[in-house]
Amino acid sequence: MDLTSHLRRLPATPRIVVSGNHATPWHTLRLVDAALPEYRLWALNGQPGLPDRDGVLLETSFVGPGVRRSPRLSYVPSRLSLVPTLFASVMPPDAVVVHTTRPRQGKVSLGTEVNVLPAAIEAVRRRGGVVIAQVNDRMPWTYGDAELDVALLDVMVEADEPLTFAPPSRVDDESARIGGLVAARVVDGATLQAGIGAVPDATMHGLAGRRGLRIWTEMFSDSVLALERAGSLDTSAPIIASFLFGSEELLDWADGNERVQMTRTEVTNDPGRIARNQSMVSVNTALQVDLFGQANASRIRARIHSGFGGQTDFIVGALHSPGGQAIIALRSWHPKADVSTIVPLVDEPVTSFQMSAVVTEQGVAQVFGLDQTEQARQLIENAAHPSVREELREEAVELGLAPRAARDQGPTT
């Protein structure tokens, strides 16, 4: 049975889950879009190019640049670790479209993107839906939950599309300063979670002198390869991640590398499993952090910008890890909005809270284990931009986070 015949058997307005991030099978998705007048399209971190037309409802629990401003966006708040639960209960998919390698010995590999796809495939098989794979010679072969039996696939579409690679990351002076401060908190033998971007890259590069480091993360990029080459990683431990994105060199290194174990989201992002890692260090960022230690990493002017992602999962897991710490790293001043990122009280819904520390280019504000007055003082004196500290001291008084005399005292030592 060909692809069109399978799609015609789907119910009205079916829910289609597609590989997201930077592994979208564009050729096959265009075929699906042409065959279905109406459907729901679920993609994590959807990139530009996703079908965005009347008849398509764009569902997601993590908003990407391809759907962020769409009037057809349907944002479903959820920790990333719980998206598989959505598929198994209130939001069952009718079809899954994945991007894989060509078959080898009865299997294919999901390559760069595992994430929530195994759970979606299992939900579809239970419902008698359709699993469609775009097979691509250019997709690297990765192991773990990335490997699928060919028997799970109903249709294979051959299309050797080029893969998307990450542009080189430029680490500016502020990012380097933040990364250095974060790296200084990491001990030999720690387990790391960090994403992509200038600050995570600077943090990773600052760890080149450490030894015995392990990786348990939602995603990784070229900075992990740099640690491998520096001899910083524990070569006896697998590199655990649910997706990866980086240079062509990174994908070549991951191809056929049995140490790279691509793992389903409900495992990588399970706070209980994260907590089992010794000295787990979680490094995430935010748009704002307030004097109560609350972070907004999801919304701008009340509109959804991204979502919880894995931040809440990893913060909780890292805090419960023996010797673990959860760090929020960000610039003290937002360069585009031209505003302070340390604010009296976040004006958007809270994404996360109770981190170990907040790190900016100004310094390190310890948060966990201190009373609320000292937390606020740490954030003002050690993390906030100097130009807003006096205003923040006054706001701290009004919020009951500092004594009245504090507005006349200035910084303390």
Side-chain angles (χ1 to χ4, degrees):
M1 190 181 299
D2 62 15
L3 174 61
T4 302
S5 298
H6 276 288
L7 293 174
R8 285 174 179 164
R9 296 174 58 199
L10 296 177
T13 318
R15 175 172 289 111
I16 313 291
V17 175
V18 67
S19 301
N21 289 296
H22 300 278
T24 304
W26 295 110
H27 172 78
T28 306
L29 184 56
R30 286 191 291 270
L31 297 178
V32 171
D33 184 61
L36 296 175
E38 294 186 356
Y39 63 102
R40 299 168 180 266
L41 181 63
W42 181 289
L44 285 174
N45 193 26
Q47 299 299 302
L50 289 182
D52 189 358
R53 60 167 175 83
D54 289 343
V56 179
L57 184 67
L58 297 164
E59 294 182 326
T60 190
S61 287
F62 193 86
V63 178
V67 301
R68 191 165 285 146
R69 294 174 177 81
S70 173
R72 284 165 283 276
L73 172 63
S74 174
Y75 169 62
V76 183
S78 175
R79 296 184 180 201
L80 199 54
S81 62
L82 292 175
V83 169
T85 302
L86 295 179
F87 291 158
S89 56
V90 296
M91 305 193 80
D94 299 292
V96 182
V97 185
V98 295
H99 201 171
T100 75
T101 63
R102 289 184 182 275
R104 301 179 191 173
Q105 299 178 331
K107 292 184 177 183
V108 295
S109 173
L110 291 166
T112 61
E113 174 87 2
V114 171
N115 226 321
V116 299
L117 297 173
I121 291 170
E122 290 166 0
V124 163
R125 301 306 299 181
R126 287 193 296 269
R127 288 168 58 81
V130 59
V131 180
I132 304 159
Q134 176 175 312
V135 298
N136 186 349
D137 269 338
R138 305 186 189 190
M139 181 65 75
W141 190 284
T142 59
Y143 295 93
D145 293 327
E147 291 187 302
L148 300 176
D149 287 335
V150 170
L152 294 173
L153 309 176
D154 297 295
V155 182
M156 287 189 285
V157 179
E158 295 191 12
D160 293 334
E161 290 182 324
L163 300 179
T164 302
F165 302 115
S169 177
R170 187 183 71 84
V171 178
D172 55 57
D173 291 344
E174 287 187 345
S175 297
R177 164 74 173 157
I178 297 168
L181 290 170
V182 174
R185 298 174 64 93
V186 179
V187 300
D188 287 350
T191 307
L192 306 174
Q193 176 260 325
I196 190 171
V199 170
D201 281 353
T203 299
M204 293 294 204
H205 287 301
L207 295 173
R210 301 289 191 279
R211 291 296 178 263
L213 299 176
R214 298 186 174 207
I215 305 295
W216 183 293
T217 186
E218 186 177 305
M219 68 85 63
F220 72 86
S221 190
D222 286 73
S223 55
V224 167
L225 177 54
L227 287 179
E228 171 82 348
R229 290 177 171 168
S232 302
L233 298 185
D234 180 350
T235 56
S236 69
I239 296 167
I240 303 294
S242 68
F243 71 99
L244 60 90
F245 181 53
S247 66
E248 185 173 6
E249 183 181 23
L250 178 73
L251 269 59
D252 287 343
W253 174 72
D255 185 23
N257 187 340
E258 293 188 0
R259 278 185 59 219
V260 177
Q261 291 289 308
M262 303 297 287
T263 308
R264 53 199 297 159
T265 291
E266 59 268 48
V267 174
T268 60
N269 287 48
D270 177 354
R273 292 175 184 262
I274 295 167
R276 295 174 197 165
N277 291 295
Q278 183 70 32
S279 301
M280 183 77 212
V281 180
S282 170
V283 183
N284 289 282
T285 192
L287 299 166
Q288 296 174 314
V289 176
D290 70 17
L291 299 183
F292 291 93
Q294 301 178 120
N296 162 38
S298 304
R299 292 181 180 269
I300 298 175
R301 292 187 291 276
R303 292 180 63 88
I304 188 64
H305 182 77
S306 54
F308 299 136
Q311 183 169 133
T312 54
D313 295 324
F314 274 92
I315 284 180
V316 172
L319 287 173
H320 284 271
S321 161
Q325 50 184 322
I327 298 169
I328 295 292
L330 72 168
R331 290 176 172 83
S332 67
W333 197 266
H334 196 292
K336 291 184 179 179
D338 195 30
V339 294
S340 172
T341 60
I342 308 298
V343 297
L345 188 63
V346 290
D347 50 12
E348 306 287 349
V350 173
T351 305
S352 60
F353 58 92
Q354 201 178 39
M355 62 289 293
S356 302
V358 175
V359 180
T360 73
E361 79 285 358
Q362 304 297 327
V364 178
Q366 188 66 27
V367 176
F368 184 77
L370 304 176
D371 72 14
Q372 62 177 1
T373 299
E374 181 60 16
Q375 284 183 356
R377 191 194 73 79
Q378 287 269 337
L379 287 161
I380 295 169
E381 308 303 340
N382 296 338
H385 193 276
S387 66
V388 297
R389 289 177 184 170
E390 183 56 38
E391 178 185 346
L392 289 173
R393 291 185 195 110
E394 293 176 0
E395 293 286 353
V397 171
E398 297 304 316
L399 291 169
L401 297 175
R404 287 283 169 186
R407 72 171 67 203
D408 302 318
Q409 291 175 354
T412 61
T413 57

